[in-house]
Structures are given as C-alpha cells and as structure tokens.
Amino acid sequence: MNRNLVIIYAYIMLECRLSLEEASRIFHIDKDTLKNNFNLTIFPKEILEALEYLEFEATNYDLDNKRGLFKANLYVRRLRKILAKPKGEERGQELEALVNDLKGPDIRFVLEKNTIGVLYTKEEKEQILKYRLKFKLPGKRMEELFHISNESIIRWERKLPECELKTRLEILRRFLNNSYKGPRSRK
C-alpha cells in the first residue's frame, strides 16, 4: 500500500474511532493487510500508540459508533474523489487539506493564552478533551505540551454530560491508570 494512503487511513481511524474490522470494511482492504501496514515504521511513536489504544478500546468495549462510521464514509468518499483527479498541485493541496482536517482542530490556541487562571469556553474544553482522546495523551503529557493541569482535565471530564465522549474518556483514564509504570505520588 502507498505510504501516504496508510497515514490517511490511520488518521481516519483515529478521527472516527474505527476498529480494524470497521476500517477494513470501509476501506475495502483485508484486515490483516491493513494491520500489517500499520506496523510499518512510517508513523511517529505517538500515532502508533494511539492506534494501539484505539484497537484496545474497540475490542474490549462495545460502543455504538454509528456517527463515526458515517463520518468515515464521508472522509473515504472525499479521499476517493481527490485521488480520482490527475496528479498535480491542486490534488496535492486537497490531500493536504484533508490530512489537516483529519488531524483535528488546532488546539495551539491553548499555548497563546496566559497559563495562570485561564478560562476556556465549553467548546474549547471539549476540543482539548477530544484531542486528548484521539492521541491517547496522559495527563502529565497534556501538562507538558499545553500547560493544562491534570486536575483541570479531570474536572472537565466530570462536568461533561453523559455522552459518548465522556464514556470514551473514562475508558482512556482507566487504561492509562492500569498501564502506568513508575512511582505514584500520594496527594
């Protein structure tokens, strides 16, 4: 498979929270072929870990993903439409726009705000939490990258209404707590 296509497929899976079975059905690729392509060394470590967690989530928790499947079909249709065009600058720009869209909203706005006493809107908090889920970022890593304390993230998760995002974040928190290796501080 084409290296760039594999990367786009990975981003579609992360954005739409697709299991390997769902992805292989939507992409019309054998499940084993798809899995073998994801084991290549073309991905940064963070993306590979996010894909591994996504597979854990999909195999161990039965969550309704109708919305994710619908979004994935739209992305695949858009990708096929772009790939049907002749190679050129316009096609490259459209592929780049698709990849940027799949990477998700830019949350660098967090870095532009003052880190002391920052107030985020409900939408900004939700964007940050979705980004955390998508890329399987532990609280300490969120603190390092975006200067958002783990306590704030926990508070935001608790204040979410009962929804799919809250459920998936709880699964992520349990996974990260169970897979943590190292000293734990007592507060």
Side-chain angles (χ1 to χ4, degrees):
M1 273 177 66
N2 181 331
R3 176 182 187 264
N4 293 329
L5 196 57
V6 171
I7 292 171
I8 292 172
Y9 285 164
Y11 279 125
I12 290 174
M13 287 179 67
L14 289 173
E15 177 65 25
C16 302
R17 309 308 292 165
L18 298 177
S19 68
L20 270 174
E21 291 83 17
E22 294 168 336
S24 67
R25 191 174 60 244
I26 289 173
F27 302 147
H28 304 290
I29 300 171
D30 180 56
K31 178 183 165 188
D32 295 327
T33 306
L34 188 62
K35 189 173 186 172
N36 290 339
N37 279 291
F38 287 152
N39 290 332
L40 299 174
T41 57
I42 59 175
F43 294 113
K45 181 183 173 195
E46 296 81 25
I47 301 296
L48 278 176
E49 288 178 357
L51 285 169
E52 288 171 6
Y53 168 72
L54 177 61
E55 190 57 26
F56 166 82
E57 179 186 292
T59 55
N60 293 311
Y61 297 94
D62 187 29
L63 298 169
D64 183 27
N65 197 17
K66 290 179 185 174
R67 185 170 181 231
L69 292 170
F70 180 75
K71 276 177 58 178
N73 281 314
L74 292 177
Y75 280 124
V76 169
R77 216 174 295 143
R78 183 174 161 193
L79 175 64
R80 289 191 178 132
K81 196 179 211 181
I82 293 170
L83 293 177
K85 293 181 178 183
K87 289 185 179 182
E89 190 175 317
E90 181 184 343
R91 178 179 166 179
Q93 289 173 346
E94 287 184 31
L95 276 173
E96 188 176 326
L98 175 65
V99 170
N100 288 335
D101 187 25
L102 288 169
K103 285 182 180 177
D106 188 11
I107 67 167
R108 280 184 275 175
F109 65 85
V110 172
L111 299 174
E112 295 168 1
K113 292 190 175 192
N114 184 1
T115 57
I116 299 172
V118 178
L119 296 175
Y120 295 104
T121 65
K122 183 179 178 183
E123 292 78 23
E124 288 174 333
K125 289 176 185 177
E126 195 170 305
Q127 272 185 316
I128 293 166
L129 291 174
K130 284 180 180 178
Y131 186 88
R132 177 176 190 249
L133 174 66
K134 185 178 194 175
F135 294 108
K136 190 196 124 193
L137 294 174
K140 290 290 182 189
R141 187 78 179 130
M142 289 292 288
E143 220 169 311
E144 290 170 12
L145 293 174
F146 303 112
H147 310 292
I148 301 171
S149 71
N150 194 31
E151 292 79 21
S152 295
I153 292 171
I154 292 170
R155 219 179 11 239
W156 296 348
E157 287 177 14
R158 287 184 183 146
K159 287 183 181 179
L160 280 174
E162 289 301 320
C163 62
E164 182 183 351
L165 177 61
K166 185 173 186 170
T167 305
R168 289 184 186 273
L169 285 167
E170 287 172 2
I171 294 168
L172 175 64
R173 180 164 301 288
R174 277 188 251 130
F175 176 83
L176 291 171
N177 284 340
N178 290 334
S179 65
Y180 179 76
K181 293 175 178 72
R184 296 186 186 265
S185 62
R186 300 215 186 251
K187 290 187 178 180

